[in-house]
Amino acid sequence: MCVALGLPSVRALPSFARQMDMQCIACHTDYPILNDMGRNFKLSGYTMSAEQTDLPPIAFFLQPSFTQTQAGQAGGAAPGFANNNNFAVTQFSVFYAGRLFGPYASKLFGTAADSFLNKFGIFSQTTYDGVGKSWSWDNTEVSYADVASLGEHGMQYGVYMNNNPTLQDPWNSTPAWGFPFSGSGLAPTPAAGTLIDGGLAQEVAGVGAYAMIDSSFYVDVAAYRMLGSRYQRALGVDPSGETQVTGEAPYWRIAYTRPVNTTTYEVGLFGLTADTYPGRDPSAGKDRITDVGIDSQVQKAFGSNDITAMLTAIHEHDNWGASQVLGNTSNGSDSLVEFKGTIDYLWDKTYGCAAQYFVTNGSSDALAFPTSQTGSPDSNGFILQLNYLPLNKGTGPAFWPRSNVKFSLQYTIYNRFDGSVTNIDGAGRNARDNNTLYLEAWIVF
């Protein structure tokens, strides 16, 4: 079990659109949700190109926002912020994303080498956190992708190195790319979360390989290692108190997908196992954390409208070989289950709405969950979101084409928060006091 580290940082990038000479709607529904074309682009390792641009694979992202919780937070929502009704620049990101050498491979290395070099792709994000007031590396991946034959079967395959398990996955039903795609850093969130669901993001480096056979069967295997604390600090990550992976943590993924007319179906399994030192303390031995997830996605296009339904369930089993000895847990083992069910609708490629039901259940453990009045990790509720994409069907300014903007109104409702409905912090704060209204703009250019 890990403390949730925040919401996913995911983008639909103008640098990809410029490389493809297409607008965002070619690869996305209610972006950043991928459609069939977008999944093929992802499987290409970000290397597909229309060969129509000389612009570098650079993009930028700005996210101004407003946060209001149903009740204010004593002492302020974060250092430098009021207890409620806060404006912020949630984040500013710089991306280098697309072909590794952009459109310049032949100019730099000659035409004899460009067909090989153009099979290398990159997704690199550096982010300024406007709440924490700090820079750090964010989701980052370098890959090589190609096509081949496997007997009588066609195959897309790739090898990659990245810093977040499931970052390479082509569906939005796995953690790194899952809904909600963004959220406030100035609102309380439940403490418990599975390790694979953001618990290792930007703290590890992994190497893996994937293959899509006959456009139907997907398999992916990888191994992740924890980055050293000095290296993490150099990249803007604070390693203090983190769950430290020792040795390699294997990751695996299988999925089956099938298009039927204008509907695409997917169902899959994924998982990760890690031996860990709690709080980076090796003195009492190791814990073992095993996550196994099941996911499914159904996506249908009709006219200029799209609907996507996603289900994700993750079961985590924790053997506290070290944590119990150190007094971090009451039990020798615990379990945790996360479930998310999401539906997203985009009308006329411009107006979107989404709804998610989320639930976390697990073993009661007073030491593992010290902020819970009941010692329980249980939380559940709904996320409702409205989106407006006024430039989604356009091309943007000629000097820097394919820029886009997305305005969102998001409301999170908690029925239970960290095991409680009422008096969740011992001071009279209720679960619904954490209900959050969040307004944001995604400005990508």
Side-chain angles (χ1 to χ4, degrees):
M1 254 168 251
C2 68
V3 174
L5 298 181
L7 293 161
S9 181
V10 219
R11 307 289 167 249
L13 296 181
S15 59
F16 292 156
R18 288 188 282 270
Q19 182 172 291
M20 292 292 291
D21 195 29
M22 296 176 175
Q23 190 58 5
C24 296
I25 58 175
C27 289
H28 296 274
T29 63
D30 191 354
Y31 77 79
I33 296 175
L34 295 175
N35 59 21
D36 287 340
M37 179 66 183
R39 284 185 284 275
N40 282 327
F41 181 80
K42 184 75 179 289
L43 290 167
S44 82
Y46 319 108
T47 63
M48 292 169 61
S49 176
E51 314 289 354
Q52 296 296 309
T53 184
D54 290 324
L55 294 172
I58 295 172
F60 304 91
F61 171 81
L62 180 66
Q63 189 181 57
S65 67
F66 169 79
T67 302
Q68 180 188 74
T69 51
Q70 187 162 307
Q73 301 171 72
F81 290 90
N83 66 353
N84 211 345
N85 301 321
N86 286 295
F87 291 91
V89 176
T90 302
Q91 69 179 70
F92 172 73
S93 291
V94 180
F95 295 87
Y96 186 89
R99 285 181 170 176
L100 181 61
F101 299 101
Y104 314 123
S106 61
K107 297 175 184 177
L108 292 172
F109 304 103
T111 55
D114 69 347
S115 61
F116 172 70
L117 295 175
N118 282 335
K119 296 174 183 176
F120 289 89
I122 187 170
F123 181 100
S124 176
Q125 178 181 3
T126 302
T127 294
Y128 177 75
D129 177 357
V131 175
K133 308 291 193 300
S134 62
W135 285 92
S136 67
W137 78 328
D138 209 321
N139 287 327
T140 300
E141 181 171 279
V142 178
S143 60
Y144 172 87
D146 204 349
V147 295
S149 296
L150 188 64
E152 298 180 353
H153 305 280
M155 179 175 68
Q156 292 174 281
Y157 72 92
V159 294
Y160 60 86
M161 180 170 62
N162 67 31
N163 66 350
N164 187 0
T166 76
L167 180 63
Q168 70 283 358
D169 202 81
W171 289 279
N172 292 91
S173 48
T174 52
W177 300 99
F179 182 90
F181 307 114
S182 61
S184 177
L186 293 167
T189 55
T194 58
L195 187 67
I196 199 171
D197 191 2
L200 298 178
Q202 288 79 64
E203 299 173 0
V204 295
V207 177
Y210 63 84
M212 175 70 87
I213 302 167
D214 288 341
S215 300
S216 296
F217 297 95
Y218 179 80
V219 61
D220 182 357
V221 292
Y224 287 86
R225 290 187 66 92
M226 182 67 69
L227 297 172
S229 58
R230 182 182 301 178
Y231 191 59
Q232 288 188 47
R233 289 190 178 94
L235 293 169
V237 178
D238 183 1
S240 303
E242 70 187 2
T243 299
Q244 181 185 2
V245 174
T246 174
E248 287 79 28
Y251 166 82
W252 57 270
R253 164 76 156 145
I254 56 173
Y256 174 74
T257 183
R258 181 183 179 186
V260 179
N261 297 323
T262 59
T263 304
T264 301
Y265 300 87
E266 176 270 338
V267 63
L269 297 167
F270 58 95
L272 178 132
T273 299
D275 290 328
T276 63
Y277 295 139
R280 301 187 67 88
D281 183 351
S283 64
K286 304 173 184 177
D287 295 329
R288 168 156 286 205
I289 301 173
T290 301
D291 290 347
V292 177
I294 183 170
D295 72 294
S296 183
Q297 180 170 306
V298 179
Q299 191 172 75
K300 180 177 178 62
F302 46 102
S304 59
N305 312 312
D306 302 280
I307 188 166
T308 304
M310 296 165 282
L311 294 175
T312 308
I314 303 172
H315 178 272
E316 178 170 282
H317 181 74
D318 306 290
N319 284 318
W320 300 130
S323 288
Q324 189 180 35
V325 174
L326 293 169
N328 297 330
T329 65
S330 304
N331 304 329
S333 63
D334 285 319
S335 62
L336 191 70
V337 175
E338 289 184 355
F339 172 82
K340 297 177 183 179
T342 308
I343 189 164
D344 185 282
Y345 178 71
L346 181 65
W347 180 71
D348 194 32
K349 306 297 184 184
T350 303
Y351 306 95
C353 60
Q356 180 185 87
Y357 173 68
F358 63 89
V359 59
T360 300
N361 292 126
S363 308
S364 292
D365 192 319
L367 294 178
F369 306 108
T371 61
S372 169
Q373 289 294 299
T374 62
S376 167
D378 296 356
S379 299
N380 67 74
F382 296 88
I383 299 174
L384 309 175
Q385 185 164 317
L386 298 175
N387 302 312
Y388 175 49
L389 300 85
L391 307 180
N392 207 32
K393 296 185 288 186
T395 59
F399 67 90
W400 197 246
R402 312 301 178 185
S403 301
N404 210 336
V405 64
K406 176 178 179 178
F407 300 101
S408 296
L409 186 156
Q410 183 186 100
Y411 192 66
T412 303
I413 303 166
Y414 291 103
N415 300 319
R416 185 176 294 273
F417 191 99
D418 286 349
S420 300
V421 176
T422 60
N423 198 25
I424 62 174
D425 59 2
R429 188 175 182 86
N430 298 326
R432 289 185 179 271
D433 289 340
N434 297 318
N435 291 356
T436 302
L437 174 69
Y438 180 62
L439 288 81
E440 65 178 7
W442 288 18
I443 305 168
V444 288
F445 55 96

